Amino acid sequence: MPLPPSGWALAILLGLYIFTGLIGHDPWKNDDAVTIGVVYDLVTGGHWLTPSLAGRPYPDAPLHYWLAAISSQLFAWALPVHEAARLASGVFTLLALTFIHLAARELHGREQAPAAPLLLAGSIGFLFHAHEAQPMLATLTAHTAAYWGLSQLSRRPLRGASCFGLALGLGFLANGLVPMLPLLPIAAFVVWRSEKRQRAALSVLASLLLASAVAGTWLLGLLLSSPAYLAAFWQVELAQLSDGAQPLLSLLHFSTLLPWYAWPALPLAGWTLWVKRRQLASTPLALPIFAFLVTLAVNSAYLGARSAPALLLLPPLVLLAVPGVASLRRGAANAFDWFNMITFSFLAALAWLGWSAMVFGWPARLARQASRLEPGFVGQFSSFNVAFALLGTLAWCWLIVTSPRSPMRGIMHWMAGLTLFWLLIATLWMPWIDYGKTYRPLSASLAKALPAKRGCIADGNLPDSLLASLDYFDGIRTVAAQSAAGKDCDLLLIQGAPRSGGWQKLWEGGRPGERRDNEKLRLYRRETRKSHPGN
């Protein structure tokens, strides 16, 4: 394979990375389950303007839910809702990789540009979110498109401004106001550095008007049809700006998160800063440096050092790291390449060994450990999955033997190795992982325990992911215990410490690996008060 990869070779590698693992498992805890729950509610209830979760209003920007719902309908003939909805994440990921490639081509030239999508997709933190139903992926796509638009603002002002305006408006529709805030000072920075500032300023102003028109269509629809929902949405948005996220503590957390989350883009960006230290004022370097600092500041101040918003730090790091790939010294490049080949060959061997333990019970010690972590799991041999995994392993062996020497070989082997590892996990380990993460058996058990004749079910502290899963799997919906309706419910569903004092426990359950008391789900019925004689 010639390096750097391009055309079909790059497309096949990235396509295999993106779409492997999007299907084949149930909704999982946190964002994946919540997003699929909102999509399911949208599909079944038709609340296109006002997304809701398990029958409750869920004030959030709707773009990702819209596209996921459309995807679930297009592929309803072949896939269940949760798997078809995740295909929208694959599309957003593919678009993000495309736009970061285009932005790198504008800043660093056509020859170095293929390193950008390899670095972004190869970032360890990106791997976790690229294969779940995650609205932040749509925001990431908007950011990468915005960088492409801003990078061509001087050369092609109309196309650059149009791209930036659409990215800003659609990004707001994807995740609200706060994640898009960093792009405003970045645009001002580009205008300030432009040789034709007046033209650049007018272009950015026009792009802001375009963004307002795009975002305003949904807001106007809410104002006319559901002003209460619009007020709730803005309340959530303003709360993010007013509550704060302890910026100094968030910066400290980012210092421990980014070294593994942004690997290998972060060290390569650091190398670029060193080797190009006399060129830091040039636009190809100054733009990503400023963009990273601004995004880091906004994330620390308003979004916190959480994994999903940290995705927005990756595009500027990647754009800064691209020149570092080609400028690595031969010794460092060879060491990085050997590290990648040895690491992922070892991880691939471990993945096959773990699969053997789960399916065949060998090695016995490893099989006992897998059974202890997920009690009751029984591994099944799938000839299709094994054949696919074996084909990927053989392709990896062929790649590391035949790849020509090139400055791009190290990052190519990293990306290919990461793709292989994820492919092995998705094909060989996914049944074991899904067994421990799905709420499907728990929901079915609860459904059987519910009285045939019942009124409402109150919940005191259930997380959104659990509310979404119960509704998706068995149509179990609850009302908030503190609401007027919840206070009159005869049934109470809680997670955590047992409830006493006027409540009789009907059922208790949890996922196989949940052993702690505060992880258990419990169903109670209100005790009827016995009347005393003479009263």
Side-chain angles (χ1 to χ4, degrees):
M1 178 185 294
L3 297 178
S6 59
W8 284 109
L10 183 61
I12 290 172
L13 177 64
L14 294 178
L16 190 63
Y17 167 89
I18 291 168
F19 292 102
T20 298
L22 288 178
I23 63 176
H25 65 86
D26 282 338
W28 288 350
K29 190 176 180 180
N30 297 328
D31 289 348
D32 189 59
V34 172
T35 302
I36 290 169
V38 174
V39 170
Y40 177 70
D41 201 302
L42 190 154
V43 170
T44 56
H47 306 124
W48 287 86
L49 276 181
T50 56
S52 56
L53 177 66
R56 306 180 187 184
Y58 191 77
D60 199 6
L63 180 63
H64 186 275
Y65 306 123
W66 286 347
L67 295 182
I70 293 171
S71 175
S72 70
Q73 294 298 288
L74 288 176
F75 296 96
W77 58 274
L79 297 171
V81 170
H82 63 277
E83 294 185 347
R86 282 197 206 99
L87 295 180
S89 295
V91 172
F92 281 121
T93 300
L94 185 60
L95 288 173
L97 296 175
T98 301
F99 286 130
I100 200 69
H101 178 268
L102 293 173
R105 192 168 66 180
E106 289 289 333
L107 293 174
H108 304 300
R110 186 179 297 271
E111 184 176 345
Q112 297 188 57
L118 294 176
L119 284 168
L120 180 57
S123 298
I124 296 175
F126 184 74
L127 175 69
F128 290 103
H129 296 297
H131 300 94
E132 64 178 356
Q134 174 58 259
M136 193 59 73
L137 289 172
T139 311
L140 175 70
T141 302
H143 272 240
T144 55
Y147 289 129
W148 180 45
L150 291 174
S151 65
Q152 57 182 326
L153 196 61
S154 297
R155 190 167 63 90
R156 296 175 175 174
L158 179 60
R159 191 171 78 173
S162 300
C163 181
F164 179 71
L166 287 172
L168 201 61
L170 293 174
F172 174 86
L173 290 180
N175 226 316
L177 176 64
V178 176
M180 305 309 294
L181 286 180
L183 294 177
L184 299 180
I186 294 170
F189 178 78
V190 171
V191 170
W192 175 68
R193 290 185 57 87
S194 176
E195 295 180 357
K196 300 179 179 180
R197 289 183 183 175
Q198 185 175 2
R199 188 183 71 175
L202 290 175
S203 298
V204 169
L205 179 60
S207 69
L208 294 179
L209 294 176
L210 176 60
S212 300
V214 171
T217 54
W218 176 61
L219 297 176
L220 180 61
L222 286 181
L223 180 64
L224 297 176
S225 63
S226 184
Y229 189 97
L230 177 61
F233 170 77
W234 280 118
Q235 185 177 2
V236 172
E237 293 293 303
L238 295 176
Q240 284 186 297
L241 292 172
S242 59
D243 292 347
Q246 297 181 304
L248 294 180
L249 184 60
S250 294
L251 279 174
L252 180 63
H253 288 165
F254 273 123
S255 67
T256 59
L257 174 70
L258 286 178
W260 68 264
Y261 189 97
W263 179 276
L266 183 62
L268 286 170
W271 174 249
T272 300
L273 292 176
W274 171 253
V275 76
K276 304 282 187 180
R277 56 190 180 277
R278 296 182 180 178
Q279 305 173 33
L280 297 183
S282 63
T283 297
L285 300 182
L287 174 58
I289 291 172
F290 183 79
F292 174 76
L293 294 176
V294 169
T295 308
L296 180 63
V298 172
N299 273 23
S300 300
Y302 302 119
L303 298 175
R306 295 182 292 114
S307 182
L311 286 172
L312 305 183
L313 295 170
L314 294 179
L317 275 178
V318 166
L319 292 175
L320 186 58
V322 165
V325 175
S327 61
L328 273 179
R329 293 172 181 170
R330 179 175 299 180
N334 289 338
F336 180 52
D337 188 25
W338 276 103
F339 170 79
N340 297 339
M341 290 189 288
I342 293 172
T343 298
F344 286 110
S345 296
F346 177 70
L347 290 176
L350 284 183
W352 279 105
L353 196 63
W355 168 79
S356 175
M358 289 183 285
V359 175
F360 300 113
W362 183 89
R365 186 174 180 179
L366 194 57
R368 288 194 298 269
Q369 181 69 5
S371 180
R372 187 186 69 82
L373 292 174
E374 300 297 349
F377 174 76
V378 178
Q380 301 291 330
F381 183 89
S382 170
S383 55
F384 175 80
N385 286 355
V386 171
F388 197 50
L390 184 60
L391 183 63
T393 305
L394 293 175
W396 165 251
C397 296
W398 173 81
L399 180 66
I400 62 178
V401 170
T402 60
S403 294
R405 290 190 177 275
S406 165
M408 195 76 69
R409 189 168 78 164
I411 189 60
M412 177 65 183
H413 282 162
W414 172 269
M415 179 59 200
L418 190 67
T419 301
L420 169 68
F421 181 66
W422 175 244
L423 184 149
L424 294 180
I425 294 298
T427 53
L428 302 180
W429 284 52
M430 192 62 75
W432 182 79
I433 298 172
D434 193 39
Y435 177 82
K437 286 184 171 290
T438 179
Y439 283 111
R440 186 186 295 270
L442 174 68
S443 179
S445 178
L446 172 61
K448 291 180 181 178
L450 288 172
K453 295 182 179 180
R454 66 176 188 270
C456 63
I457 307 172
D459 78 82
N461 60 347
L462 298 188
D464 286 343
S465 59
L466 194 47
L467 293 174
S469 298
L470 295 178
D471 180 40
Y472 179 71
F473 289 126
D474 291 286
I476 301 172
R477 291 188 171 183
T478 63
V479 295
Q482 300 304 318
S483 66
K487 293 178 181 179
D488 292 333
C489 292
D490 290 330
L491 296 176
L492 174 67
L493 188 63
I494 64 169
Q495 185 181 43
R499 182 66 61 93
S500 60
W503 294 96
Q504 175 191 4
K505 187 168 71 173
L506 297 180
W507 172 88
E508 178 180 292
R511 293 182 296 181
E514 294 175 338
R515 299 177 180 85
R516 291 180 295 181
D517 206 48
N518 62 354
E519 295 175 330
K520 298 292 184 180
L521 195 64
R522 295 178 174 88
L523 176 69
Y524 292 90
R525 180 167 54 196
R526 193 188 302 272
E527 292 181 345
T528 56
R529 296 179 180 178
K530 297 181 180 180
S531 58
H532 296 282
N535 288 352

